[in-house]
Amino acid sequence: MTLYAGIDCGTQSTKVVIVDSESAQILGEGSAPHPLISEASGRREQHASWWTDALEIAFHQAINNAGIEGKEIAAVAVSGQQHGFVPLDSQGHVIAPVKLWCDTETAAENQNIVDALGGTEGALSQLGLMPQTGYTISKILWLKTHHPELWEQLDTVLLPHDYLNFWLTGVRIAEFGDASGTGLLNIRTREWDTHTINLIDDSGRLQRALPPLVTAETCIGTVLPEIAYRLGISSQTKVATGGGDNMMAAIGTGNIVPGIITMSLGTSGTLFTYSKTPVVANSEMIAGFCSSTNGWLPLICTMNVTSATTAVQKFLNLDLKSFNQALEQTEPGANGLKMLPFFNGERVPQLPQAKASIHNIDSSNLNAQNLSLAVVESATYGLRFGIDLFRKQGIHAHEIRLTGGGAKSAKWRQIVANIMNVPVICVTNSEAAALGAAIQAIWCDTLTEHDDKTALLEKICRQFVHLDESTLVIPDNQNVSCYEGLYQDYLSLLQTEYPEVAI
């Protein structure tokens, strides 16, 4: 057997999976948590050393659980939370805590950048997407503005997964998928955008600090001897490029050809799909990222999915089983009860200051069953809003692959299928990003100059990515029609409450 490891460094923890390329099985898994620095200012940071400490723990767990010798691992790849900013000095030391994707302390800097680019239209024209507050670009300007003494030490800008690659190999490199989430990459040409870079810093420091870009199938090096010793693996172990967590999750759900949408029913909701060509939308709500498979990965993120359903569940004092039972006890439309589920503001549509609200309450519909269904329906309508943005760009899907905690609910899966009018199915592996990284490691290690790169990756995905046929849900025609009307009612309510939203 030939063994590979996939590493996923998320916000809450680092996870590792070890797979056998011959049997196409996951042999062992490991996980270790990270703390989070959180302040009312919007500060959301972590120390990079927390990630490497967790990686070591998780790696040894995975090796022990697999019952293998670490030196048998041929290659590894890293998936990392997108958009974080890891600043290094010339000696390779991290000079500041890492601002994460969820950090909003840089909102003013982001607005300054968007204004300098000429607003939404200017940003889409220049970069192919509009930088959001969570993107790396505003974090860089924040460091320059608030910590000029650290700015003078800046030698290299890395993303979280880039930093773990550097820790593993000593190589400072970036790949197109994760780099497209910085706000500094032209997604059409897949090059660092000099115009945007100079808006932040025209001295040349930032331009020099951006690492070289490589394609997704590249082997960037081998593991440093001292790191190999700490992990219990060989110093000949190869390291593939890796990528951002969404890019790796696309591989780990087999979403590497057109026609599939991966939809996460997690705390927030994420939609992404594969495209062979750049997707430069006429809406800033679609992030036209590059994929980590040498294509493109248009993505939409909504803020209120299981965060909203959990808030209602706790308000009703229901455990998860009782909440799911409540969903079964009422009909589509929740007996007229409607909700706008903006407990955390909203990104799609762009309503950062919005609040959650309940509408059309009367004495007959105010009960636990209707409240439970109303929040699930409204969270799903938010995802349908994103699906419709894709459809307006000519992006269509014949299948939705669900991930996240909400995907475990059979009732919610059926609601998704009916509201989207697309078949829905879950993948068997819950750690899609870590598996995607392992698949990319196999791709990198086994690819020869005679292989068709795309065909080989598709073959490996077919071997490893399995669909759970027991979760397959086909849209019910009667309820599709019913939900289409209910969704239009939702849009009417949305526009009444927030006239600025374009429908």
Side-chain angles (χ1 to χ4, degrees), residues 445-479:
D445 186 47
T446 58
L447 184 67
T448 72
E449 62 182 20
H450 305 294
D451 286 322
D452 180 317
K453 296 177 185 179
T454 303
L456 178 60
L457 181 60
E458 290 176 10
K459 176 184 176 183
I460 300 169
C461 279
R462 285 194 298 271
Q463 291 172 323
F464 277 90
V465 179
H466 305 296
L467 303 180
D468 184 352
E469 297 296 337
S470 70
T471 66
L472 175 63
V473 179
I474 304 299
D476 175 84
N477 288 336
Q478 182 175 347
N479 281 329

Side-chain angles (χ1 to χ4, degrees), residues 112-180:
N112 290 341
I113 292 164
V114 172
D115 291 344
L117 284 166
T120 299
E121 290 186 7
L124 292 174
S125 175
Q126 185 67 37
L127 297 168
L129 49 68
M130 189 180 83
Q132 305 287 345
T133 297
Y135 289 13
T136 318
I137 185 172
S138 63
K139 299 172 174 62
I140 295 171
L141 181 56
W142 186 91
L143 182 76
K144 182 184 179 188
T145 302
H146 296 276
H147 296 283
E149 76 287 357
L150 295 179
W151 177 258
E152 292 302 316
Q153 299 176 43
L154 180 68
D155 183 77
T156 310
V157 171
L158 296 180
L159 293 160
H161 112 267
D162 299 329
Y163 175 74
L164 290 178
N165 280 346
F166 170 70
W167 181 78
L168 287 165
T169 66
V171 177
R172 308 184 195 205
I173 210 81
E175 62 81 40
F176 301 125
D178 210 6
S180 63

Side-chain angles (χ1 to χ4, degrees), residues 208-255:
R208 292 189 299 270
L210 293 172
L213 292 155
V214 296
T215 55
E217 78 288 352
T218 304
C219 171
I220 65 170
T222 54
V223 179
L224 293 167
E226 61 268 31
I227 301 300
Y229 176 78
R230 288 164 65 175
L231 295 179
I233 61 178
S234 168
S235 60
Q236 299 305 307
T237 301
K238 296 178 182 178
V239 180
T241 59
D245 52 2
N246 288 308
M247 291 77 193
M248 293 294 103
I251 298 173
T253 56
N255 189 349

Side-chain angles (χ1 to χ4, degrees), residues 5 131 174 189 209 289 417 421 497:
T189 63
F289 295 144
N421 194 19
E497 295 296 310

Side-chain angles (χ1 to χ4, degrees), residues 6 17 77 79 247-253 429 431-441:
V17 300
S79 162
M247 291 77 193
M248 293 294 103
I251 298 173
T253 56
N429 177 63
E431 302 299 341
L435 177 61
I439 290 170
Q440 195 207 52

